[in-house]
Amino acid sequence: MIQKRYKIAIETDADGFLARLRLQTVLNEVAASATYREASGVYLHALFDQVPKKYAEIVLDLFRELVPRAVVTGMSQTIFANEHAERSLEMNFCFFRRSRVTLLTYQGCPNQCGSAGSTMGEQLAAIPDVRAVAMYCAGITTNLSTFLESLSDGRADVPIFGAVAGMFETSAGDAMKVSGNIFDLACSSDAPMEQYVVGDRVWSGGVVMAVFSGSELYARADYILNWKPLGKELTIT
């Protein structure tokens, strides 16, 4: 696998999207490369830093037009994004020699997280030689853990990783009662952030998954749970 990363500033004004030519230049360079043309699978993950949803839709259209072989996922960067000085688009390309990438999507916030996870799990099971899954979500509730449990049931050997662009709290007594967006604390009061994920469309609510598969593909996932002591234990009196 070969990885390439590009980052460009995204300027906008009242007349529209000013970074189009710069983005087209980068994408044409990728499309003309032997790495792109000869890859068995191409994966593009895009990170939108303070980029409004309407411009993310323009970017997705350019991806489809200029690098149509790429399986695309993406998301808005929400937490601490308002601390950055400029809007930007980061593109991370992965070019596979023998492996494949498949896009799965779920539009909207799953009302029944368990059954929705099971449904996507069935779609996942239909793909041979699955080795890893990248999952990105927006506009969902804190019941995401139920969705993940159903999705991963019987797939302990398949690592699932990813991130959340936006999440809403649910009532402890009523899972269908949705309250405030947890990530609103990351937004400046004068420039509210739009939270979305990108797949075959740009969605304010939904789940997108890139499924990595191949008989020769190996995926390693490391994670740490629980607390670890950092120093000597002291008793405070």
Side-chain angles (χ1 to χ4, degrees), residues 186-206:
C187 307
S188 57
S189 58
D190 59 338
M193 303 288 296
E194 292 186 87
Q195 300 165 2
Y196 52 82
V197 288
V198 179
D200 53 348
R201 293 169 54 191
V202 180
W203 290 333
S204 297

Side-chain angles (χ1 to χ4, degrees), residues 94-116:
C94 294
F95 305 94
F96 294 91
R97 189 173 181 181
R98 297 186 182 90
S99 304
R100 302 170 301 279
V101 188
T102 304
L103 179 68
L104 298 179
T105 61
Y106 186 100
Q107 183 178 4
C109 175
N111 291 329
Q112 301 295 329
C113 287
S115 59

Side-chain angles (χ1 to χ4, degrees), residues 1-16:
M1 183 184 74
I2 297 175
Q3 290 182 285
K4 291 188 178 181
R5 173 182 173 273
Y6 302 87
K7 186 173 183 178
I8 64 173
I10 299 293
E11 301 96 348
T12 59
D13 66 3
D15 296 324

Side-chain angles (χ1 to χ4, degrees), residues 77-209:
Q77 289 185 287
T78 308
I79 298 181
F80 307 124
N82 59 329
E83 296 181 0
H84 301 165
E86 63 180 12
R87 294 173 175 170
S88 65
L89 167 66
E90 181 177 321
M91 296 173 287
N92 296 280
F93 284 91
C94 294
F95 305 94
F96 294 91
R97 189 173 181 181
R98 297 186 182 90
S99 304
R100 302 170 301 279
V101 188
T102 304
L103 179 68
L104 298 179
T105 61
Y106 186 100
Q107 183 178 4
C109 175
N111 291 329
Q112 301 295 329
C113 287
S115 59
S118 297
T119 299
M120 293 203 76
E122 292 172 0
Q123 297 178 41
L124 194 61
I127 301 172
D129 301 316
V130 173
R131 296 292 184 263
V133 178
M135 187 175 83
Y136 304 98
C137 319
I140 58 174
T141 72
T142 47
N143 288 326
L144 175 63
S145 59
T146 305
F147 180 89
L148 277 171
E149 288 173 3
S150 298
L151 174 68
S152 59
D153 186 31
R155 301 176 183 86
D157 58 334
V158 177
I160 300 175
F161 62 95
V164 176
M167 179 174 286
F168 295 82
E169 292 181 283
T170 54
S171 169
D174 183 0
M176 299 296 293
K177 185 178 180 181
V178 177
S179 57
N181 193 324
I182 294 174
F183 288 2
D184 272 349
L185 295 175
C187 307
S188 57
S189 58
D190 59 338
M193 303 288 296
E194 292 186 87
Q195 300 165 2
Y196 52 82
V197 288
V198 179
D200 53 348
R201 293 169 54 191
V202 180
W203 290 333
S204 297
V207 179
V208 298
M209 300 195 307

